[in-house]
Amino acid sequence: MSDKSEQQRLSVFKTYKLYVGGKFPRSESGRVYEVTDSKGNWLANVPLSSRKDARDAVVAARKAFGGWSGATAYNRGQILYRIAEMLEGRREQYVREVSDAEGLSKSKAAAQVDAAIDRWVWYAGWTDKIAQVVGGGNPVAGPYFNISSPEPTGVVAVLAPQESSFLGLVSVVAPVIATGNTAIVVASEKSPLPALSLGEVLATSDLPGGVVNVLSGRTAEIATPLAAHQDVNAIDLAGADDVLAKELEIAAADNLKRVLRPQPVDDADWSATPGTDRMTAFLETKTVWHPTGSLGASGSSY
């Protein structure tokens, strides 16, 4: 019998799960599918989310919306910065996962991860400034104060980019929650591991459960019920191809969802400093009219 010191230990393979409502359930369907690296080597089995999983994620996102949208912008910024802190501590893990997912060298994968961490910090800085940029006083004819202010749209379904597994993912999720929305994220079908691992960071970063919910599986299978769901207020089609995007737009029209259409974006574009478009895409403008002078103290809004 060989000495114990010469025996090889078995590796502990990671079990990837969904992230819904601040918890890590397996898919209700019990199904999984194989994820491979760029060379076709097996990486992991990940959950194939079902329609029921999508509905559960919507319930969790709606439940979290009141508290998250009601939090101060400063507090939301602190939490987004905390996410960046947590990612910095797990940087090597994400470099490895992005390298495997996208077939990048370690140095290129590290650049993608660093850019994603910086992206969280960038949006954290915007949480208490976006209202000043897109809101403010309006000149009107008459004895009124007229003030416009942005408010979050609500529950947003986000289809993560298929190719940019981490930087693209962060670039579409961070602006949604920075402005007070909650999100159901459909991870890249081809490379879902960085998105599923992000759930572990979010769970330990002070982000309330349900603000971000992460589903993996077949994009079309998950996105279709989300687009038609009456309690989803908006959808970002970043990860949909032209055919799927058209189908989802039709499904979303049933309850007048706000739809952000997909646009061709390559890695260079994801790496560029973003503008405010992805934040303002999921904001509604509330305008308050308040009489001045002898008209009284009562006001109205629409």
Side-chain angles (χ1 to χ4, degrees), residues 50 78 142 271 295:
S50 66
Q78 286 182 309
S271 299
L295 292 180

Side-chain angles (χ1 to χ4, degrees), residues 98-292:
V98 171
S99 177
D100 289 340
E102 301 181 30
L104 301 176
S105 66
K106 293 296 183 182
S107 60
K108 290 184 177 179
Q112 293 284 301
V113 173
D114 289 344
I117 295 172
D118 293 346
R119 188 65 36 93
W120 281 110
V121 176
W122 195 84
Y123 279 113
W126 268 103
T127 56
D128 60 355
K129 299 174 182 65
I130 188 66
Q132 301 168 53
V133 173
V134 299
N138 308 308
V140 294
Y144 301 97
F145 291 121
N146 183 266
I147 302 171
S148 294
S149 59
E151 295 186 349
T153 296
V155 174
V156 182
V158 179
L159 276 57
Q162 296 297 329
E163 300 302 325
S164 186
S165 63
F166 193 54
L167 178 55
L169 167 76
V170 170
S171 297
V172 296
V173 175
V176 169
I177 66 171
T179 51
N181 298 288
T182 55
I184 302 107
V185 181
V186 181
S188 165
E189 182 175 333
K190 174 186 174 185
S191 307
L193 302 189
L196 295 175
S197 292
L198 180 62
E200 299 170 8
V201 170
L202 300 179
T204 55
S205 62
D206 302 328
L207 186 75
V211 172
V212 175
N213 306 274
V214 183
L215 305 175
S216 61
R218 308 302 181 202
T219 300
E221 187 176 342
I222 308 169
T224 300
L226 288 175
H229 200 295
Q230 297 294 298
D231 205 24
V232 172
N233 305 112
I235 185 167
D236 184 344
L237 301 177
D241 59 29
D242 292 341
V243 175
L244 179 59
K246 184 175 181 179
E247 293 175 358
L248 296 178
E249 282 193 70
I250 294 172
D254 193 42
N255 72 331
L256 299 178
K257 287 181 180 62
R258 182 171 284 209
V259 176
L260 182 59
R261 293 167 177 79
Q263 299 175 356
V265 179
D266 58 26
D267 287 341
D269 291 327
W270 288 125
S271 299
T273 301
T276 59
D277 290 353
R278 287 193 173 274
M279 286 185 285
T280 58
F282 302 115
L283 287 174
E284 309 290 341
T285 300
K286 177 181 179 181
T287 300
V288 177
W289 293 73
H290 195 290
T292 61

Side-chain angles (χ1 to χ4, degrees), residues 1-18:
M1 181 179 292
S2 61
D3 186 81
K4 287 185 178 181
S5 62
E6 297 177 357
Q7 295 179 4
Q8 291 185 340
R9 65 180 295 274
L10 296 175
S11 299
V12 179
F13 291 105
K14 184 172 181 177
T15 301
Y16 287 89
K17 298 180 181 179
L18 308 177

